[in-house]
């Protein structure tokens, strides 16, 4: 089980965990599983490929650098659906890519859960729809009916990817590309 000490430097993650622990223990349990998966998947990320003839790195990646994902939390939305998604971004270096668009109805709750209110935009549905083109990815929430396997859930927002060198045992390539900001990491 994940201890709160393992997320102690992340105010938003702590707020999400505390909120879900109090209000929906099932969502809390799922969020703990997501964090456990992320910590394991990013412990060594990227990983070295095992093929012959080429040198490869593979692992969980962020979205295209310089782009944003918008998580829309509109009228009638379910906070239980929002929190696991927001947690993925706020627990990792993907947090810089997240914008939460919320309706006035949910603005106080969403702002209270996000440590950095500047990542929250309060806008009506029409304004949101007119500005969607600026985002790489737009995610709308729907009520949680079941919990998908955590690895599959994470891959909806952070893809698995790889990069290869045509050279065998290319250590220069490995050292250069394992430092890329593209790889998903836990926030410190």
């Amino acid at each position: 089980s994940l201890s709160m000490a393992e997320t102690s430097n992340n105010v938003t993650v702590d707020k999400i965990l505390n909120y879900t622990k109090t209000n929906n223990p099932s969502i809390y349990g799922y969020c703990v599983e997501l964090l456990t998966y992320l910590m394991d998947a990013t412990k060594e990320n990227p990983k070295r490929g095992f093929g012959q003839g080429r040198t490869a790195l593979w692992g969980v990646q962020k979205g295209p650098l310089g782009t944003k994902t918008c998580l829309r939390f509109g009228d009638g939305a379910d906070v239980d659906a929002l929190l696991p998604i927001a947690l993925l971004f706020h627990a990792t270096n993907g947090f810089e890519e997240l914008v939460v668009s919320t309706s006035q109805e949910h603005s106080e709750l969403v702002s209270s859960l996000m440590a950095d209110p500047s990542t929250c935009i309060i806008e009506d549905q029409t304004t949101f729809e007119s500005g969607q083109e600026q985002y790489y990815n737009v995610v709308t929430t729907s009520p949680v009916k079941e919990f998908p396997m955590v690895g599959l859930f994470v891959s909806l927002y952070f893809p698995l990817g790889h990069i290869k060198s045509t050279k065998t045992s290319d250590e220069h390539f490995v050292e250069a590309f394992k430092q890329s900001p593209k790889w998903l990491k836990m926030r410190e």
Side-chain angles (χ1 to χ4, degrees):
S1 174
L2 180 73
S3 73
M4 293 297 269
E6 292 176 281
T7 64
S8 62
N9 292 332
N10 194 317
V11 175
T12 298
V13 169
D14 288 346
K15 286 181 175 185
I16 290 172
L17 290 176
N18 287 328
Y19 180 88
T20 57
K21 191 173 194 177
T22 303
N23 294 290
N24 190 330
S26 295
I27 297 296
Y28 170 77
Y30 191 63
C31 286
V32 168
E33 290 301 316
L34 287 170
L35 285 172
T36 302
Y37 174 86
L38 284 171
M39 286 190 292
D40 185 53
T42 61
K43 192 178 344 179
E44 178 190 347
N45 193 41
K47 294 164 184 56
R48 184 102 180 232
F50 298 103
Q52 296 186 7
R54 292 184 182 188
T55 306
L57 294 172
W58 62 276
V60 185
Q61 298 181 350
K62 300 188 317 179
L65 297 177
T67 65
K68 298 279 187 186
T69 291
C70 180
L71 177 54
R72 175 62 178 166
F73 193 59
D75 292 337
D78 182 4
V79 71
D80 290 340
L82 168 82
L83 295 178
I85 301 167
L87 179 85
L88 296 177
F89 285 87
H90 282 279
T92 66
N93 57 351
F95 79 100
E96 299 160 335
E97 300 173 355
L98 181 67
V99 173
V100 179
S101 166
T102 185
S103 64
Q104 189 65 42
E105 174 188 349
H106 300 295
S107 62
E108 189 174 320
L109 173 63
V110 170
S111 295
S112 73
L113 291 170
M114 302 298 135
D116 182 1
S118 69
T119 63
C120 300
I121 299 171
I122 300 168
E123 58 190 351
D124 62 32
Q125 188 66 25
T126 304
T127 305
F128 163 70
E129 288 173 0
S130 69
Q132 287 186 51
E133 298 78 32
Q134 66 184 310
Y135 302 113
Y136 168 72
N137 194 11
V138 175
V139 178
T140 56
T141 60
S142 56
V144 176
K145 295 180 182 169
E146 59 184 27
F147 299 107
M149 292 175 18
V150 293
L152 295 176
F153 185 77
V154 169
S155 73
L156 293 173
Y157 307 100
F158 298 116
L160 292 174
H162 72 281
I163 186 167
K164 295 184 236 176
S165 167
T166 58
K167 298 177 184 175
T168 304
S169 300
D170 190 346
E171 298 309 317
H172 178 71
F173 163 83
V174 169
E175 288 307 310
F177 282 99
K178 76 179 187 180
Q179 303 303 320
S180 171
K182 181 81 173 133
W183 303 110
L184 193 69
K185 304 275 186 213
M186 295 300 289
R187 278 178 74 181
E188 296 179 19

